[in-house]
């Protein structure tokens, strides 16, 4: 089973539109961390946000906002007033401590959502 | 300095060549990682080094050989690769392997095996 599901493979929006990228995760741990990374065409993975499982406060950073809902195991990412520079692949990721009895930081990426912002 | 630097950015090698990928960070991070990313796929973990010791090898073929000479450097030695090994190879670091601070990734080496 997928640990992190990003159901939207590709999204296209027109510049200045708002867009929400969905992320659903699965874990049995009570302590875990969720992340969003941006990967522009240049290839580098850029860290956007980290959220721990005990902090369900939504977060806003400029045009970016994140909605963490433990009840639905979702950690969605919204870009407000999208810009062409937002075009990239966005990965949601989960980090949990234990998996199958092997201790250590296990990091799971979703399959990514490719966002294209059309000028 | 909050970067992970990878060299070279691009590499083309033949199946009989021996080459090395390099990764460097000066953030004092004690965990370093190699990931492999195929086109339109998420990164896949290859190796984890924690305090300069190999802690995780995700059943990677022996034609990939990691090395951690010191706490700032991580190498990936390549030998007798196959065309299917062509991919983006990403290095990452984090404060600790057992903590959840998230990774800082490098920009990757785009490898083509011919």
């Amino acid at each position: 089973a997928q640990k992190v599901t990003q159901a939207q493979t590709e999204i296209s929006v027109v510049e200045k539109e708002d867009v929400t990228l969905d992320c659903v995760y699965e874990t049995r741990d009570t302590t875990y961390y969720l992340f969003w990374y941006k990967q522009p065409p240049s290839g580098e993975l850029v860290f956007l946000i980290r959220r721990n499982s005990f902090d369900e406060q939504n977060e806003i950073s400029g045009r970016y906002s994140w909605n963490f809902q433990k009840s639905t195991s979702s950690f969605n990412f919204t870009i407000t007033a999208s810009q062409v520079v937002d075009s990239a692949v966005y990965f949601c990721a989960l980090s949990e401590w234990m998996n199958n009895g092997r201790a250590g930081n296990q990091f799971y990426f979703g399959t990514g959502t490719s966002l294209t912002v059309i000028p | 300095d909050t970067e992970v630097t990878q060299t070279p950015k691009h590499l083309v090698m033949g199946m009989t060549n021996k080459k090395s990928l390099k990764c460097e960070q000066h953030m004092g991070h004690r965990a370093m990682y190699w990931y492999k990313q195929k086109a339109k796929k998420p990164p896949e973990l290859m190796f984890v080094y924690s305090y300069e010791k190999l802690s995780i090898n995700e059943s990677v073929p022996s034609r990939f050989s990691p090395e951690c000479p010191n706490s700032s450097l991580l190498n990936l030695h390549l030998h007798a690769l196959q065309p299917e090994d062509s991919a983006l190879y990403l290095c990452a670091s984090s404060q600790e392997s057992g903590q959840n601070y998230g990774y800082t990734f490098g920009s990757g080496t785009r490898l083509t095996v011919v």
Side-chain angles (χ1 to χ4, degrees):
Chain A
Q2 272 280 61
K3 283 281 191 180
V4 180
T5 301
Q6 294 180 254
Q8 305 148 307
T9 307
E10 296 181 355
I11 300 177
S12 291
V13 297
V14 176
E15 201 170 21
K16 297 184 184 175
E17 285 184 349
D18 298 348
V19 58
T20 295
L21 310 183
D22 297 333
C23 174
V24 174
Y25 62 93
E26 178 187 331
T27 181
R28 293 182 182 175
D29 280 7
T30 55
T31 302
Y32 55 90
Y33 290 77
L34 296 162
F35 304 84
W36 275 96
Y37 284 89
K38 173 182 179 180
Q39 189 173 37
S42 57
E44 181 179 358
L45 274 158
V46 179
F47 169 80
L48 295 179
I49 189 171
R50 175 180 70 113
R51 171 68 71 215
N52 75 55
S53 52
F54 299 108
D55 182 2
E56 287 193 72
Q57 275 193 328
N58 290 331
E59 179 152 340
I60 297 174
S61 175
R63 297 185 296 107
Y64 295 169
S65 62
W66 291 269
N67 183 353
F68 178 26
Q69 300 264 349
K70 277 179 85 169
S71 60
T72 56
S73 297
S74 65
F75 186 43
N76 296 338
F77 172 32
T78 297
I79 302 175
T80 304
S82 60
Q83 301 176 0
V84 173
V85 293
D86 296 328
S87 297
V89 179
Y90 290 86
F91 289 99
C92 181
L94 163 74
S95 176
E96 58 182 14
W97 178 245
M98 291 286 290
N99 182 40
N100 295 327
R102 185 174 79 172
N105 186 10
Q106 299 295 306
F107 205 84
Y108 303 94
F109 282 96
T111 50
T113 297
S114 177
L115 174 66
T116 301
V117 181
I118 303 164
Chain B
D1 187 355
T2 56
E3 286 187 349
V4 173
T5 304
Q6 288 189 244
T7 55
K9 293 200 180 304
H10 299 274
L11 178 63
V12 179
M13 61 184 289
M15 290 189 285
T16 58
N17 291 160
K18 285 185 182 181
K19 296 286 184 183
S20 297
L21 309 185
K22 295 184 185 303
C23 174
E24 190 168 2
Q25 57 88 14
H26 295 288
M27 296 176 281
H29 287 177
R30 303 315 302 264
M32 295 185 76
Y33 311 80
W34 280 114
Y35 277 82
K36 174 182 177 179
Q37 187 179 23
K38 301 285 275 184
K40 303 196 179 193
K41 298 286 186 184
E44 296 176 354
L45 181 65
M46 299 175 72
F47 302 104
V48 179
Y49 271 83
S50 179
Y51 288 86
E52 299 153 56
K53 292 191 186 325
L54 182 65
S55 62
I56 294 177
N57 175 343
E58 292 286 6
S59 303
V60 179
S62 59
R63 57 186 185 268
F64 296 91
S65 174
E67 178 198 19
C68 190
N70 60 56
S71 60
S72 299
L73 292 174
L74 185 65
N75 298 323
L76 186 62
H77 302 299
L78 314 173
H79 175 53
L81 294 193
Q82 304 296 311
E84 60 264 28
D85 296 322
S86 299
L88 179 67
Y89 289 84
L90 291 159
C91 175
S93 69
S94 65
Q95 291 188 10
E96 300 277 345
S97 67
Q99 301 298 319
N100 293 283
Y101 293 100
Y103 298 171
T104 300
F105 281 91
S107 54
T109 294
R110 207 165 286 278
L111 173 68
T112 303
V113 181
V114 297

